[in-house]
Each structure stands twice: as C-alpha cells, then as structure tokens.
Amino acid sequence: MNSIATCKQRLPLPELLVRLGLFDQAPKAGNHKCPLHHERNGASFGMDPKNEGWVWICRGKCATGGDELSLLETFLGLDTKAAIRAYEHLAGIGGLASFSPPCGGANAFSPAYHRPLIPNPAPVILKPMPIELPHDLHKGSFEECATVSQLRAVPVETTLLMSKAGLLAFAKVAGFHSWIVLDDTRLIAEARRMDGALYPQWGSLAERKTHTLKGSHKSWPLGLTQGTGPILLVEGSGDFVAANYFCAFTHRTPSPWTPVAMLGASIKQLDPEAAELFAGRHVRIVPHVDAAGKKAATQWANLLTKQNCDVDGFDLSGLTKTDGNPVKDLNDATSFTATHGDALRQLFSPTGGIL
Ligand SMILES: [Zn+2]
C-alpha cells in the first residue's frame, strides 16, 4: 500500500476536515455548507466515499474538488508534493514527530486551526516607506513550516496557514537560514534562526535571538490589518505564532479574534495609522509574566484607551506547563496542564480580562 492509501485509511476526509478545524464533527456523505468559502446559506460542498478514499466538490464559489490531497492543496495553499508531506504528517506516518495538542488547550475549544475566512479589510494607505525584504524571501515549504512548528510547539497547520496568509516567510538573514514574521503592510519584519541559535555579534549589534529587518517600523503592530474583530495583543514574534494558534480556535465563531504583536516590550508609541485601526475595538493584552511585560502592557493599555478601545488583559501567571514549570508567556501556554482548561477557555471569554 502506498503512503497516500495509508493516509486515506488512517485519516479519511471526514476526520481530516475535523482535524483542520473545518467541521466540528466528522461530516457524513452528502451536501454541506462549504467550509472553504465560509458559505452561510446553501450546501455547495458535496462529499462521497469512492474506492479507497473520498471525493469532495464545491459547486459554489470554490468551483473545485478532488480527493483528500486536493483538499489540503486548496485549503493550505500547497503544491502536490507538499500536500503529500502534510497529509503524511497529519496522519502520523511522516518522519517528523507529530504535534500533540495540549490536553487542556485543544479540549478547551472546538479544534479549529484555520486562519479566519473573513475578508481582510481594505488595504491601509501607509505613509512610511516599506522595509527592504531579502531577495530570497519565500513562502515556506512543508519542511520549513514543520521546523517552525517544532521550534514553537504549535501544530504544523498553524505555521502552514501563517505562511499561506503571508504572516510567515523564510530567507537568509544575517547569513543564516531564518524564519520571518511579517504582514501585508511590509512595515515590520523580524527574523529568527531556523536552527534556534542566536545571531552572532556583528558591528554594533549584540548577540541576539531575533533580528529586526532594516527599516522596520517598530511601532507598527504586526498583523493588525488581518481582521476587524477583537484583538489578542501579544509581545514578540514567538508569542505571535502562539497567538495565531490560539486565535484559530475562534475563527468559526461570529466574531473571530485577530492575533497582533508588538515586537518588543520597549515600544512606547503606536504608529498613528495603527492607532486609527485599533479605534473602538476590543483589545485583550496577554503580557509576558515579567516586570517588563507588565509595564509594557500597562503602557499599551493607556495608549489604546485613548483610541476608545475596550482594553483588558489576560494574566498567565499561576499557570504551569505540562513539564511542571511556570508559564512565562503565551508560547509556553501551548503546553498547558489539563487542569488549566478552564483558564485557557477564559482567554477568549467576553470578560476574561485580569490586568
Ligand atoms: Zn466552496
């Protein structure tokens, strides 16, 4: 039996759709609302068992269909080779260790991992000059996304979807193969090494775990143009990946949360155009559990309150990871102990703020 046949046996289309967060429960053969184009009325998405696997078709807006592999190609934006690697990984037959969802976390929400299907707001007219990006900047291959998912302890769906959405890219930075967080504004980009090591001291730059790309506007909140609803505001590129993981749990709710990151606790100003995009929105800040994190959160809360935002916070202190160590930031929270399922659920509760 070839690997695709094994994948189809282990993770057939109905279960694959649940794993990707496109359905809450394994859908039966027949017609459904199409989860790929967020269909509200109608049932354009048909699926039926066929031979060893399943076939699906969207007779509506997507106007496409195929088997399990085509679904991964369509939903994750992968070519066939990468879709095969992703399918093997999801079905647990790839060479990579599979991510095990946090026992408290994954059970605390419906397991929806995908990016919001809401349309992006109209592009913002930005006055500052965009940064210069490395000439070899590219969307991630399956292997590159899988490496970041392992480095940051999130499922590979999170990094694949971030890459598809243009929030994660890859390039050589300061001489090292790196992963880069950025957004469609091209105003800020921050790199980290793929091998997890520090960038060495160079000129006036000290040894550092992150390298901000030249020309970046540090006061631009990364990811802000990606949605229009409530905002989960975090600190740093590591927590930005974690926030993408957690916010995906809300993406099929009527009001999905948008992950946004300030890239540094020392940022005391908001870009004026960013301030306008925040205006009137609900912003929940998840500070790092340290003095600098708390101080930064208080400053940001004050700035956002001036924009008529409804600001609250989520305090991670007191939570412990599965290994027993305290949670220090949102990234640590991808590994919660089961007893903290309730705490995690509060992350997106209407009034879960403690700040
Ligand atoms: Zn569709």
Side-chain angles (χ1 to χ4, degrees), residues 218-343:
K218 291 283 266 186
S219 63
W220 183 261
L222 182 71
L224 185 60
T225 53
Q226 296 293 307
T228 52
I231 289 168
L232 196 69
L233 184 66
V234 299
E235 175 195 331
S237 45
D239 274 12
F240 183 61
V241 176
N244 271 271
Y245 166 64
F246 285 113
C247 286
F249 289 114
T250 71
H251 287 164
R252 280 189 302 122
T253 63
S255 188
W257 288 67
T258 303
V260 175
M262 300 296 282
L263 296 186
S266 59
I267 299 160
K268 295 184 179 64
Q269 297 298 328
L270 269 183
D271 180 286
E273 302 206 24
E276 282 176 32
L277 283 175
F278 272 112
R281 290 167 76 176
H282 179 189
V283 182
R284 178 157 298 162
I285 306 176
V286 188
H288 284 187
V289 184
D290 57 31
K294 290 263 164 76
K295 192 175 162 198
T298 307
Q299 279 170 338
W300 299 338
N302 288 335
L303 290 172
L304 293 167
T305 304
K306 285 184 194 147
Q307 299 300 320
N308 295 319
C309 291
D310 174 13
V311 187
D312 57 24
F314 188 83
D315 187 0
L316 294 162
S317 60
L319 300 175
T320 45
K321 297 194 282 181
T322 36
D323 64 7
N325 287 313
V327 166
K328 295 194 294 293
D329 56 33
L330 191 63
N331 198 91
D332 283 347
T334 61
S335 159
F336 265 110
T337 58
T339 50
H340 291 312
D342 279 344

Side-chain angles (χ1 to χ4, degrees), residues 34-39 44-45 58-63:
C34 177
L36 298 171
H37 75 267
H38 222 212
E39 188 172 42
S44 302
F45 187 84
C58 171
R59 300 180 188 88
K61 199 172 170 190
C62 306

Side-chain angles (χ1 to χ4, degrees), residues 107-191:
N107 296 337
F109 307 103
S110 65
Y113 291 130
H114 55 64
R115 292 282 318 150
L117 296 165
I118 52 167
N120 285 341
V124 194
I125 310 301
L126 295 154
K127 287 171 214 130
M129 288 297 290
I131 46 172
E132 264 181 49
L133 292 166
H135 59 85
D136 63 332
L137 187 85
H138 58 279
K139 287 201 171 199
S141 66
F142 174 80
E143 281 72 18
E144 287 172 318
C145 291
T147 301
V148 177
S149 89
Q150 295 206 308
L151 282 169
R152 305 314 307 177
V154 294
V156 73
E157 303 90 293
T158 301
T159 50
L160 285 168
L161 288 168
M162 286 180 72
S163 168
K164 185 187 174 192
L167 299 172
L168 174 66
F170 299 83
K172 208 168 195 182
V173 173
F176 298 94
H177 187 203
S178 302
W179 58 279
I180 299 163
V181 290
L182 69 175
D183 65 23
D184 57 356
T185 65
R186 297 292 188 260
L187 286 176
I188 189 164
E190 185 176 274

Side-chain angles (χ1 to χ4, degrees), residues 198-211:
L198 301 177
Y199 291 101
Q201 189 263 337
W202 188 74
S204 61
L205 290 172
E207 204 175 46
R208 62 218 178 277
K209 67 180 176 186
T210 61
H211 181 97

Side-chain angles (χ1 to χ4, degrees), residues 24-38:
D24 285 331
Q25 288 179 338
K28 292 192 166 52
N31 296 323
H32 306 271
K33 283 190 200 323
C34 177
L36 298 171
H37 75 267
H38 222 212

